[in-house]
Amino acid sequence: MTTIPLRLQALREEMQREHLAAVIIPSSDPHQSEYTAAHWKGREYISGFDGSAGTAVVTMNSAALWTDSRYFLAAEEQLRGTGFQLMKLKIDGTPTIAEWIHEQCTTSHEPSTEVLIDGMVASANEVRQLTKELRSEGGLTLRTNTDLLGRVWRNRPTLPPNPVEIFPMEYAGESCESKLQRIRQALRQQHADGMLMAALDDIAWTLNLRGTDVHCTPVFVSYLLITSRNATLFINKEKLTPEVERYLSGNGVLVADYTAVKEGLRSYFEYNILIDPDEVSHTLYKELCDKELWSKDLPGSRIIEAESPVKRMKTVKNAVEQEGFRRAMLRDGVAMVKFLYWLDEAYKAYESYESYKSYETHESHKSHEPLTELSISEKLRQLRAEQPLFRDISFDTIAAYGQHGAVVHYEPTAESDIPLQPEGLLLLDSGAQYLDGTTDITRTIVLGPLTEEMRRVYTLVLKGHIQVELARFPSGISGTQLDVLAKRAMWRDGLSYLHGTGHGVGTYLSVHEGPHQIRMEWKPAPLVAGMTVTDEPGIYLAGRFGVRIENTLLIVPAKPRGADDRIPQDGVTEFGQFLQFEPLTLCPIDKRPIVTELLDDEERQWLDDYHQVVYERLAPMLAESEKKWLKTVCSPL
């Protein structure tokens, strides 16, 4: 019996003792993080699926895992032989978790009606919605009082002990004291005296601190309780150096043990407290609801449910952060060009072959190890590490060659790693953490002969990418209203994609930052000047190839694009402030696959203008051979 079935057997034994019909195991931690410390990777432990998003459900006789389109192919492969059935979110016919549990209980004549989820890793809103859905499915009830998986998780990783460091003002651009003052002002506008902050990137941003508790994301495990008079950081104290302790004290921040957060909530002394029910766990929310203080000593007090004001504060970058992004993208562009030049040189020898099929037997091939998905990922990491202020990669590199490119979030492993051949396309999605900014870039790269289908698909993705970058729009619209620009051309060919078109990017923080997004589903968060957002349309043809092109953008006031343009220099018209995108990413876009007649004049002009900027900004920082190569690939279309 393989590892996963053994783990399921152990879990089911505990379920039987607790008289449970099902256990729900989400991907989250107590802070609703997208990426979690190893201590909370329970869904990966029980299922074997290691994607960043997914929910596992186990009954006494069945198991299933729900995930989104980014991971359909990867999950199908990883779940094979585990006993888990893949459930594809947003695909017709896929049952909800509640529907599936009800069906399993009915068909197996399960006498229990209790379903368990750990209330410490499920948000207040998630538990609320699950409770409602389960009740509607045959009267199933939800329990939240036990971490059942913790009983069977052997050698479970401990909480990370890594030290916290101060994020310098020269990169933050605003002091911790100023941020706390702004947060308290926002709370007063909501008639709240304080708030519990659980999101790790929000805490790091507020306190101008960074850590290494989560892979590729510079955050640290903690809670922050803010009141009108002070703030308390709940954290394992071994993580704090004397310097950080003095810094916190100087900013009016007290320190308590991470596990004392419940006690901190019980002793909260002010009238009203703001809780973001999408961010705070059900268990901590319930701790406040159960406080006798609310109903007796302070009869006017209450919990105010609202989005944390910090979410939108940190998405709008100040002038120092914006300049930091530009500097980080410049250095990242240098690393990317060095990599693309190196890769191009490695494959140039094969261009003159009468048949690229002779690649594997050619003498020049035998003289060196073939490049693979993993080896080029490491090469790119090394080139980035040579750049000043580099701290880490911002996510595990997606180096997807050939049919692997159709797996939206494919990450090569020792088992899946394949050599690159001098044909087809390589999809390379990568990024870095620099002290002054976080980067995220995707390029789809030609390695050799292409099919006509590849060229057309590539061009349709490029058209969508350019149309988003060309957009000008009123301040305050939602990113959902821009999503069609990325898909319009491909929809005409009956093609599309299900992942988001764009997401925010943090300042030496999380590579995925919200709440604003560009995606098909309705996201009401407004787009305003100062936000960063990616532009990354793609098309993925299972078993064949995938294409994605991504830049990170900054939202800025719109500028006139010609003498007859109605938009003035400040972007303000009689209809209000208009905005546009400034590309922060500096890296050539491969022109070789483009079907030029599919691009209109404005799209061609945008590409030529972009490449001119790329060359002018990067060339002074390159060696002569790299500069010569860059001039060629950035030449006008």
Side-chain angles (χ1 to χ4, degrees):
M1 186 179 288
T2 60
T3 302
I4 299 304
L6 282 174
R7 292 173 180 175
L8 284 173
Q9 179 180 316
L11 181 63
R12 285 177 174 133
E13 289 172 0
E14 292 297 327
M15 290 171 60
Q16 194 168 26
R17 291 188 184 95
E18 293 286 339
H19 306 290
L20 293 169
V23 174
I24 299 172
I25 305 165
S27 300
S28 54
D29 62 6
H31 309 275
Q32 303 308 306
S33 307
E34 178 184 14
Y35 301 108
T36 66
H39 178 78
W40 287 293
K41 292 187 176 181
R43 185 262 299 148
E44 180 178 339
Y45 174 84
I46 199 63
S47 69
F49 169 63
D50 62 4
S52 66
T55 301
V57 183
V58 179
T59 67
M60 291 303 297
N61 299 295
S62 304
L65 183 134
W66 281 254
T67 192
D68 61 54
S69 63
R70 295 173 296 168
Y71 297 109
F72 287 168
L73 295 179
E76 189 171 359
E77 179 64 29
Q78 292 179 6
L79 295 179
R80 190 171 291 121
T82 63
F84 274 87
Q85 176 185 359
L86 175 61
M87 297 292 181
K88 299 180 178 181
L89 288 171
K90 300 179 184 177
I91 298 298
D92 290 342
T94 299
T96 66
I97 288 173
E99 289 169 344
W100 185 80
I101 293 174
H102 175 66
E103 180 186 355
Q104 297 303 309
C105 291
T106 301
T107 55
S108 64
H109 305 290
E110 171 63 52
S112 175
T113 60
E114 286 194 335
V115 178
L116 176 72
I117 191 170
D118 180 3
M120 273 303 291
V121 300
S123 73
N125 266 350
E126 182 181 7
V127 168
R128 191 175 293 162
Q129 183 63 28
L130 263 174
T131 300
K132 179 180 178 181
E133 291 175 0
L134 288 168
R135 282 176 180 168
S136 68
E137 295 292 337
L140 295 168
T141 59
L142 187 65
R143 274 179 54 185
T144 60
N145 62 341
T146 305
D147 174 17
L148 199 67
L149 188 61
R151 297 184 190 175
V152 301
W153 192 342
R154 296 183 178 181
N155 302 314
R156 183 175 187 173
T158 59
L159 290 178
N162 309 330
V164 172
E165 64 180 11
I166 298 169
F167 185 54
M169 265 291 290
E170 63 180 299
Y171 305 122
E174 183 182 8
S175 68
C176 169
E177 180 183 16
S178 172
K179 290 177 179 180
L180 287 170
Q181 185 177 10
R182 282 208 289 145
I183 292 168
R184 290 187 176 108
Q185 182 179 359
L187 291 174
R188 286 195 293 271
Q189 291 173 354
Q190 296 264 31
H191 305 290
D193 303 300
M195 69 174 290
L196 176 65
M197 199 182 301
L200 301 184
D201 56 340
D202 286 6
I203 296 169
W205 177 87
T206 299
L207 299 179
N208 283 344
L209 296 174
R210 298 294 188 268
T212 57
D213 286 355
V214 177
H215 180 55
C216 297
T217 307
V219 295
F220 49 93
V221 174
S222 59
Y223 294 97
L224 183 63
L225 181 62
I226 297 176
T227 72
S228 62
R229 304 177 194 176
N230 56 35
T232 302
L233 178 66
F234 296 90
I235 188 171
N236 288 343
K237 295 182 181 180
E238 64 179 342
K239 301 168 70 66
L240 303 180
T241 65
E243 180 189 15
V244 172
E245 288 183 332
R246 289 192 297 271
Y247 168 82
L248 289 170
S249 177
N251 282 284
V253 180
L254 307 174
V255 176
D257 191 78
Y258 178 70
T259 58
V261 64
K262 288 184 182 180
E263 181 182 339
L265 291 175
R266 284 194 291 269
S267 60
Y268 179 80
F269 57 86
E270 300 195 271
Y271 280 84
N272 300 329
I273 186 168
L274 185 144
I275 294 292
D276 186 335
D278 288 320
E279 175 184 310
V280 174
S281 73
H282 166 78
T283 298
L284 294 184
Y285 180 85
K286 189 173 182 295
E287 192 71 35
L288 282 170
C289 291
D290 291 347
K291 254 176 67 119
E292 293 184 3
L293 182 65
W294 298 120
S295 59
K296 292 183 179 178
D297 300 333
L298 298 172
S301 63
R302 62 193 176 101
I303 298 172
I304 298 172
E305 289 193 21
E307 179 184 86
S308 166
V310 180
K311 280 185 170 62
R312 302 196 184 197
M313 285 182 184
K314 78 176 187 298
T315 62
V316 180
K317 315 307 180 194
N318 59 48
V320 171
E321 291 174 311
Q322 291 180 28
E323 282 306 307
F325 264 103
R326 293 186 180 101
R327 292 192 303 269
M329 295 289 178
L330 184 66
R331 296 192 303 276
D332 203 60
V334 170
M336 281 296 301
V337 167
K338 287 179 177 292
F339 171 82
L340 293 174
Y341 171 72
W342 168 83
L343 186 66
D344 197 52
E345 287 293 301
Y347 279 83
K348 187 174 291 184
Y350 308 123
E351 293 178 0
S352 60
Y353 291 178
E354 291 184 5
S355 170
Y356 60 84
K357 296 297 184 184
S358 63
Y359 165 70
E360 293 183 353
T361 59
H362 197 275
E363 289 302 318
S364 65
H365 171 69
K366 296 177 183 177
S367 66
H368 60 80
E369 288 294 322
L371 300 180
T372 71
E373 294 166 328
L374 280 178
S375 70
I376 65 167
S377 298
E378 176 56 22
K379 177 67 174 180
L380 180 54
R381 189 202 66 79
Q382 291 172 2
L383 290 169
R384 283 188 162 121
E386 294 172 1
Q387 297 300 313
L389 303 185
F390 173 85
R391 303 303 295 270
D392 197 357
I393 55 175
S394 56
F395 56 96
D396 288 320
T397 297
I398 298 170
Y401 173 62
Q403 65 181 20
H404 283 169
V407 183
V408 181
H409 267 213
Y410 169 81
E411 294 169 10
T413 64
E415 294 74 29
S416 69
D417 188 29
I418 58 174
L420 276 54
Q421 305 287 349
E423 61 173 322
L425 296 170
L426 168 70
L427 191 158
L428 188 67
D429 188 348
S430 65
Q433 295 284 6
Y434 299 97
L435 201 54
D436 50 358
T438 301
T439 71
D440 187 3
I441 173 178
T442 307
R443 290 295 184 264
T444 302
I445 305 157
V446 174
L447 295 184
L450 305 178
T451 65
E452 287 304 309
E453 181 182 45
M454 290 175 179
R455 297 181 69 234
R456 184 173 184 86
V457 165
Y458 183 95
T459 309
L460 292 175
V461 171
L462 178 60
K463 283 177 70 70
H465 176 88
I466 294 174
Q467 284 300 321
V468 171
E469 299 230 9
L470 285 170
R472 293 195 293 189
F473 49 92
S475 178
I477 72 161
S478 163
T480 304
Q481 293 165 288
L482 298 180
D483 188 69
V484 68
L485 298 176
K487 297 187 171 86
R488 181 171 174 264
M490 61 180 72
W491 280 354
R492 290 181 173 180
D493 264 33
L495 299 167
S496 192
Y497 58 95
L498 297 178
H499 63 71
T501 297
H503 57 81
V505 180
T507 302
Y508 183 41
L509 268 177
S510 176
V511 73
H512 295 152
E513 186 174 85
H516 67 291
Q517 297 181 47
I518 301 176
R519 65 185 311 121
M520 187 184 304
E521 297 82 6
W522 172 239
K523 294 291 180 181
L527 299 181
V528 299
M531 286 180 167
T532 53
V533 67
T534 62
D535 170 17
E536 49 183 308
I539 295 174
Y540 314 92
L541 302 179
R544 286 175 279 174
F545 64 92
V547 174
R548 183 162 66 249
I549 300 171
E550 175 188 19
N551 279 355
T552 300
L553 316 174
L554 177 67
I555 303 177
V556 297
K559 300 290 184 185
R561 292 177 177 164
D564 299 328
D565 199 325
R566 290 174 54 89
I567 300 284
Q569 282 293 331
D570 61 1
V572 179
T573 78
E574 59 190 299
F575 298 99
Q577 175 73 65
F578 275 72
L579 305 172
Q580 66 184 42
F581 294 118
E582 172 193 332
L584 293 171
T585 301
L586 297 169
C587 181
I589 295 170
D590 203 328
K591 296 181 299 180
R592 291 171 289 182
I594 298 174
V595 182
T596 53
E597 56 266 28
L598 291 181
L599 298 183
D600 62 32
D601 291 343
E602 188 178 33
E603 291 164 348
R604 295 185 194 191
Q605 189 63 53
W606 180 90
L607 188 61
D608 287 347
D609 291 345
Y610 175 71
H611 276 153
Q612 182 178 347
V613 172
V614 168
Y615 180 76
E616 290 174 353
R617 296 288 304 282
L618 297 182
M621 305 175 71
L622 298 169
E624 283 304 314
S625 57
E626 296 162 344
K627 188 184 303 185
K628 182 179 179 181
W629 176 87
L630 182 63
K631 187 170 186 177
T632 299
V633 299
C634 288
S635 61
L637 189 64

